[in-house]
Amino acid sequence: MRPLRHLLTSALLAAPLAALPAAAQDAAAPRPVRITVDAARTEGKLPPIWRFFGADEPNYATMKDGKKLLVELGKLRRGEVYFRAHNLLNTGDGTAAFKWGSTDIYNETKDGKPIYNWTNVDRIIDTYRAQGIHPYLQIGFMPEALSSAPPGTPYRHDWRPGFDYKRIMSGWAYPPKDYDKWRELIFQWTKHNVERYGKAEVERWYFEVWNEANGWYWKASHDEFYKTHDYAVDGIRRALPGARVGGPDAAGPGGEFMDKFLKHVSSGRNYATGQVGTPTDFLAFHAKGRPTFVDGHVRMGIANQLKEVDGGFTKALSIPSLASKPIVIGESDPEGCAACPGPANAYRNGTMYSSYTAASFARIWELAARRKVNLDGALTWAFEFEDQPWFAGYRQLSSNGVDLPVLNVFRMFAQLGPDRLVAASDAQLPLDRVMADGVRGPADVGTIATRTADGKVAVLVWHYHDDDVPGPSAAVTLAVRGLKGRAPARATLWRVDGDNANAFATWKKMGSPIAPDDAAYLALEKASAMQPQPLTLTGGAAGTATATLDLPRQGVALVVVDAR
């Protein structure tokens, strides 16, 4: 653990507190910001795209802190949350490790007959289902007995933080040496899932093959991936004709790989059936930001992520027969490697991650509306890393069972309603400017307002900047008009910032203990939780209410107005 502790000390804890010019550290007057909401006017729907999560390490789901976190994810929107995991078909004993997992789902007898073992994969899916979470089921990677890897190729990798990323590429990353056995494995697994969980439940799942076959995760040609995909989809649909199948979860917009995939599934010859095309119910690609470490602090790369989102939408619209298909951004994150700590990734523990999440999701919603795509999900590739040092700098939603600030932003998202209201902030940067330049000048103080299913008005406000340096707070005046109801409106405020719902800040105040005791653990759990606060509303003209709040830089707030 010594190298990791060194990283913690030198990069993750020091970076956000790096020395700045004295003038930048001086307290500045709050920046006045005016936000207006018209509760009587809607401007379309706001799909709950945030309800998808995932991780490389599937076995963490069945461990103590993994189970604890799944409880919280399941509560976000009961029965609507999905989870995607790599490595579900890997050969091994189920021991979790960085960027690794296994279920030992498939082996063979000496004479080549299949041996199916559902025990470990059932345990993982059972853990999801216990919390009302549905699988976004990744068909991958290749069991050792089916791998076409050259003789002598190691099957399991031994990658860990600090090692060359290419080291993860080992025997699991190859296509099957027998496509019929591969198809039969997927058929038998799908058939088993239908028998265990029921046809109606499994028809709610998303089925996709592999991960980023245009990048690090595939050791063969693109055509061999399309063949592997076709045979797996044929196995799924043979067991469950109504299964929701799609893909290919490409790295980024996918380039030529995605172009060829879309052409193949829409009009190419199916490798498994010989027919034209491959059943495709949804399309999936990935979009990542690109943070850097400059002048002693983290600088986020929100523009890069939004450009990849827009590029993926453009690809999805390029084939008319597929243009209306639902889209899932199968990994949507500030950067690419959840298990890789380091100075540029020092945003993860604190409010930089939470404010980035609010600002980026808002723009993804806006891009989807602009492109008129059917965006179904944007999957956050962050979960937890079991039994690692506290706040070790990985991209995760909790540390040792204590929630990080970013998880509370998803709790805020869960309180937003399905109907978007007309709202504007005079400090919200235009989408095109953020896509072109990021947020490098004035901070972005933006808003989304919705009407909830029970008739309340929920207003999300964020104060984001790409640079993790001090800056003035935003003195927000929120005016909501078009309210109805006989009684005066009441409002509740929820906060995530340096002083609210922030266990990382509390841990640092404790002296950054390596092993918090029972009392400290309870204090950290308490500090991680959002606490509702009453917000004073001032009545103006009929149907109008005004409130003021101070929103620190990198803070996020949710105001819920009840005027029923």
Side-chain angles (χ1 to χ4, degrees):
M1 303 307 296
R2 290 174 61 189
L4 184 56
R5 286 181 184 151
H6 177 72
L7 268 174
L8 260 169
T9 302
S10 64
L12 303 180
L13 299 182
L17 305 177
L20 295 167
Q25 298 184 49
D26 291 341
R31 175 190 181 187
V33 175
R34 183 166 182 81
I35 293 175
T36 58
V37 176
D38 190 340
R41 294 174 59 201
T42 61
E43 55 175 358
K45 297 294 183 180
L46 190 76
I49 62 173
W50 48 265
R51 71 197 192 281
F52 292 76
F53 301 90
D56 291 73
E57 303 84 6
N59 306 100
Y60 285 161
T62 64
M63 300 175 76
K64 63 182 188 311
D65 293 334
K67 285 183 175 180
K68 183 179 180 182
L69 181 52
L70 285 175
V71 170
E72 298 306 313
L73 296 184
K75 289 193 300 188
L76 290 174
R77 189 70 64 86
R78 188 72 181 179
E80 296 184 34
V81 175
Y82 285 84
F83 200 92
R84 175 176 182 250
H86 297 339
N87 301 303
L88 285 173
L89 300 185
N90 289 15
T91 301
D93 62 5
T95 301
F98 286 108
K99 300 188 74 64
W100 176 258
S102 59
T103 63
D104 218 36
I105 196 171
Y106 181 88
N107 284 284
E108 292 183 356
T109 62
K110 291 182 179 180
D111 58 354
K113 291 185 174 59
I115 302 172
Y116 303 117
N117 174 15
W118 317 122
T119 302
N120 291 317
V121 75
D122 282 352
R123 184 179 297 117
I124 293 167
I125 296 176
D126 287 352
T127 307
Y128 300 160
R129 294 300 304 128
Q131 305 308 326
I133 296 171
H134 310 287
Y136 180 115
L137 203 63
Q138 181 181 302
I139 309 300
F141 296 115
M142 193 57 60
E144 187 171 16
L146 283 178
S147 174
S148 62
T153 302
Y155 178 72
R156 174 175 172 171
H157 68 74
D158 61 354
W159 184 91
R160 63 200 68 200
F163 281 14
D164 186 342
Y165 198 77
K166 295 178 182 178
R167 195 162 179 158
I168 71 169
M169 300 296 295
S170 48
W172 56 267
Y174 288 79
K177 60 186 179 184
D178 187 318
Y179 282 91
D180 289 327
K181 286 183 176 180
W182 166 249
R183 172 170 50 190
E184 186 66 15
L185 165 61
I186 308 310
F187 166 76
Q188 293 293 341
W189 187 24
T190 306
K191 178 173 175 287
H192 168 78
N193 285 330
V194 171
E195 292 168 351
R196 185 175 184 85
Y197 303 106
K199 176 175 177 286
E201 166 59 25
V202 181
E203 285 182 336
R204 295 189 63 172
W205 300 3
Y206 294 76
F207 290 83
E208 58 90 13
V209 182
W210 225 259
N211 177 70
E212 297 187 351
N214 60 323
W216 295 103
Y217 287 79
W218 184 249
K219 294 287 286 184
S221 69
H222 292 172
D223 286 330
E224 285 172 292
F225 169 74
Y226 307 144
K227 183 176 181 180
T228 301
H229 170 85
D230 285 355
Y231 271 80
V233 168
D234 190 53
I236 295 165
R237 280 293 185 89
R238 186 156 56 94
L240 183 62
R244 178 162 46 185
V245 295
D249 272 284
E256 180 187 5
F257 168 85
M258 180 64 96
D259 293 334
K260 290 174 61 179
F261 176 84
L262 296 174
K263 183 176 180 181
H264 172 74
V265 300
S266 60
S267 59
R269 178 182 174 276
N270 187 296
Y271 285 102
T273 67
Q275 299 174 353
V276 175
T278 307
T280 304
D281 300 308
F282 69 95
L283 300 174
F285 64 91
H286 298 170
K288 306 285 186 174
R290 188 174 298 162
T292 55
F293 192 71
V294 297
D295 299 328
H297 69 271
V298 176
R299 172 173 288 170
M300 302 300 285
I302 192 171
N304 192 78
Q305 183 176 359
L306 297 176
K307 288 172 185 174
E308 291 200 343
V309 170
D310 199 42
F313 289 166
T314 301
K315 295 282 190 189
L317 293 169
S318 65
I319 303 293
S321 63
L322 299 173
S324 63
K325 298 290 185 181
I327 294 171
V328 179
I329 307 172
E331 294 181 23
S332 178
D333 303 291
E335 35 69 35
C337 178
C340 303
N345 293 334
Y347 71 88
R348 292 165 166 177
N349 289 318
T351 58
M352 192 82 191
Y353 192 6
S354 45
S355 64
Y356 181 100
T357 297
S360 61
F361 267 80
R363 275 31 187 259
I364 292 169
W365 268 307
E366 192 174 353
L367 270 172
R370 172 186 287 185
R371 290 293 194 181
K372 295 182 172 59
V373 297
N374 183 7
L375 182 60
D376 201 27
L379 190 150
T380 295
W381 199 255
F383 187 49
E384 65 99 19
F385 288 84
E386 198 82 17
D387 294 328
Q388 295 300 310
W390 281 87
F391 304 104
Y394 304 117
R395 192 173 70 239
Q396 54 191 354
L397 303 175
S398 69
S399 177
N400 286 281
V402 172
D403 299 340
L404 296 179
V406 66
L407 183 55
N408 285 312
V409 172
F410 290 101
R411 293 186 173 111
M412 290 178 172
F413 288 161
Q415 293 192 61
L416 297 176
D419 298 307
R420 186 163 185 165
L421 300 175
V422 173
S425 165
D426 62 9
Q428 182 166 330
L429 299 181
L431 172 61
D432 289 333
R433 179 172 172 181
V434 177
M435 287 183 64
D437 305 320
V439 184
R440 305 290 169 86
D444 178 48
V445 186
T447 190
I448 289 174
T450 65
R451 171 79 64 185
T452 66
D454 59 359
K456 298 177 183 178
V457 175
V459 184
L460 182 74
V461 185
W462 62 88
H463 185 177
Y464 171 74
H465 198 282
D466 276 351
D467 290 298
D468 193 11
V469 297
S473 63
V476 177
T477 299
L478 171 64
V480 183
R481 62 176 181 263
L483 294 171
K484 298 179 181 179
R486 298 177 182 176
R490 297 168 297 167
T492 303
L493 173 65
W494 307 83
R495 288 182 174 275
V496 178
D497 52 46
D499 298 320
N500 295 278
N502 191 335
F504 181 52
T506 299
W507 178 73
K508 289 192 291 183
K509 290 177 182 177
M510 290 177 175
S512 306
I514 294 174
D517 60 19
D518 288 354
Y521 191 94
L522 291 174
L524 289 169
E525 283 190 311
K526 182 178 180 180
S528 74
M530 286 193 301
Q531 301 297 333
Q533 305 171 24
L535 182 66
T536 301
L537 291 176
T538 302
T544 300
T546 302
T548 60
L549 65 143
D550 186 80
L551 187 61
R553 186 155 160 154
Q554 311 303 6
V556 185
L558 179 74
V559 178
V560 180
V561 180
D562 188 352
R564 295 171 299 171

